[in-house]
Amino acid sequence: MSYRELATRPVLTWCAVTTAARAPVAMAPLALVFLVRERPGGYSLGAVLAAVYVIGEIVAAPVLGLRMRAERARPQMAAGLAVGAAGFAGLGWASGAHPVVLGALAFLAGAGPVAVSAGLRALLTGMVPERSVTQALSLESMLTFGIWAAAPALTTGLALGAGPGAPLLLQGVLMALGLAGLWLLPAGWAAEARPKDGTARRALLAAWPVYVLGAASLTLLALAELILPALLEQRGIGIGWAGPLLAGFSLGSVAGSFLYGLRSTWPGPLPAQSLLLVLGVTAGVAAVALLPGALALGVALAAAGLLQAPAMLTRNLALRRVLPPSALAAGYSIMYAAVGAGYAASGTLAGGLLRVVAPSTAILCGVGLTLLLVAVAALGERRLVRNREREAPRPGEEKPERALDVRNP
């Protein structure tokens, strides 16, 4: 199937609602950094606030994802967007408040809408034929990274031109618009009744290597977003370049999403594809810490973004391959929590390291954390492969069902 066949009214409506709902999330980390940048120790405080925001996502994602019902997901998503809009608006209005107050509002803004992304993804895949799922997820990835491309420049421009709280006020308005747009979409997606024997829960747990690899991937994004302004100052480059450089990363991801969606299948199993792609992104982010000049940084970030999007797509396809439709929102939410954990760990590490080491050194320490997570995911997947081989039927025996099969569809 070609991308042209996705140009239907329901899918285009979904794109508009998704843009309004996800743009605030894309703007949040950098907006929190700019919110407190001019305070004493502002960069470290901004990194901590961003980590608290992501901790809110981590805590709420598995809880809200497991509670989401496929056939009537709209009320739960609407409530989440309402909480998120309130949290972002509160941060914008209370920009001079005590850090504890800002932390509480950041936690609320992260926790409220965390399951909305999973619900919208499940809605999209339920709106298109099965043969179109790869292209639909590629379209979602292009849209997501397109939002991420615009978000840094928009956030930087508003923060420097209109005030540190302006981006967060806009985020609250956008999330409210996304809430209203939910009523233009289906109320849910088709799914079988949830089994009561724990099968779905076991399948969710068995996919843990996919989640760990997702966490590894987001540690890299945290390094790029949270340390880049300080790195630019270290190199003597204007801080205003932070937005355009991060936009280059996202535009590279848009291109990577489009290229991956040109084929329905790619050589090799999905976990192996994702592993190699994450290692490529790691190399690109490590180059950011070592290369001088804005142009070199831009090239390294764009190359990393080109590989980041297919890495994300392979993880989503693997989850959809192994989980029943009734557990898709839960699986996507757990993935969101896992990648958020990677983001929070990297952000917290960065915030602490920036007090004692140079920004370039902090990035390299984060790259080391990423490689550790990649190694854990690779060992976990290897163990799963061995278990599947032991469970494989002998000639003439009936083939048993497997809880996890992440081969390339």
Side-chain angles (χ1 to χ4, degrees):
M1 178 177 178
S2 66
Y3 285 112
R4 186 180 302 174
E5 295 181 58
L6 293 177
T8 63
R9 183 174 181 178
V11 173
L12 294 177
T13 301
W14 179 92
C15 290
V17 174
T18 298
T19 299
R22 290 188 182 176
V25 179
M27 297 170 65
L30 194 59
L32 290 170
V33 171
F34 276 110
L35 184 70
V36 296
R37 181 176 67 93
E38 296 181 358
R39 293 189 179 189
Y43 284 122
S44 295
L45 177 58
V48 171
L49 287 178
V52 170
Y53 170 85
V54 177
I55 288 171
E57 295 182 312
I58 296 167
V59 172
V63 176
L64 298 180
L66 288 169
R67 292 176 61 85
M68 186 172 287
R69 294 295 177 263
E71 65 280 0
R72 53 185 308 273
R74 182 191 291 156
Q76 292 169 271
M77 291 194 290
L81 289 174
V83 172
F88 283 123
L91 283 165
W93 285 113
S95 58
H98 191 277
V100 174
V101 175
L102 296 178
L105 289 171
F107 184 92
L108 188 68
V114 68
V116 174
S117 176
L120 287 171
R121 181 177 300 128
L123 273 179
L124 176 63
T125 56
M127 291 164 58
V128 301
E130 181 66 25
R131 62 189 176 87
S132 310
V133 167
T134 298
Q135 283 73 28
L137 289 177
S138 294
L139 173 66
E140 182 210 21
S141 181
M142 284 187 282
L143 178 64
T144 298
F145 282 108
I147 294 170
W148 254 257
L154 178 61
T155 302
T156 302
L158 283 174
L160 297 179
L168 290 151
L169 292 174
L170 176 61
Q171 289 164 253
V173 172
L174 287 174
M175 198 155 275
L177 291 175
L179 189 160
L182 287 177
W183 271 261
L184 301 176
L185 299 176
W189 59 93
E192 77 289 349
R194 288 195 176 190
K196 298 182 179 181
D197 59 358
T199 301
R201 189 176 297 271
R202 288 194 296 272
L204 287 168
L205 293 175
W208 71 265
V210 185
Y211 308 141
V212 172
L213 197 58
S217 178
L218 258 286
T219 61
L220 301 169
L221 184 57
L223 294 174
E225 284 193 335
L226 301 180
I227 303 183
L228 184 60
L231 180 69
L232 293 176
E233 289 192 346
Q234 177 192 359
R235 301 281 172 79
I237 302 171
I239 193 174
W241 280 98
L245 288 173
L246 290 175
F249 177 92
S250 296
L251 290 173
S253 297
V254 171
S257 301
F258 177 79
L259 294 173
Y260 191 87
L262 291 177
R263 295 183 55 174
S264 297
T265 61
W266 289 83
L270 290 170
Q273 292 181 30
S274 190
L275 177 64
L276 292 174
L277 290 165
V278 170
L279 288 175
V281 179
T282 304
V285 173
V288 169
L290 301 173
L291 295 175
L295 179 60
L297 292 178
V299 171
L301 284 170
L306 186 69
L307 300 178
Q308 172 76 359
M312 182 182 73
L313 281 167
T314 53
R315 295 194 304 273
N316 289 335
L317 287 169
L319 279 181
R320 193 174 185 278
R321 175 80 172 177
V322 304
L323 298 179
S326 61
L328 276 178
Y332 291 143
S333 294
I334 292 174
M335 170 66 80
Y336 198 98
V339 299
Y343 194 104
S346 186
T348 303
L349 177 65
L353 288 174
L354 283 175
R355 296 177 182 271
V356 295
V357 301
S360 56
T361 304
I363 290 178
L364 293 176
C365 291
V367 167
L369 175 62
T370 299
L371 292 175
L372 176 62
L373 292 174
V374 169
V376 171
L379 290 174
E381 177 58 29
R382 184 179 180 184
R383 181 179 178 183
L384 289 174
V385 170
R386 288 179 177 177
N387 290 339
R388 289 199 296 268
E389 290 175 350
R390 285 197 298 266
E391 295 171 2
R394 296 177 181 178
E397 292 182 354
E398 184 179 355
K399 182 179 180 181
E401 294 183 358
R402 290 179 292 184
L404 182 67
D405 185 354
V406 288
R407 295 173 300 174
N408 196 13

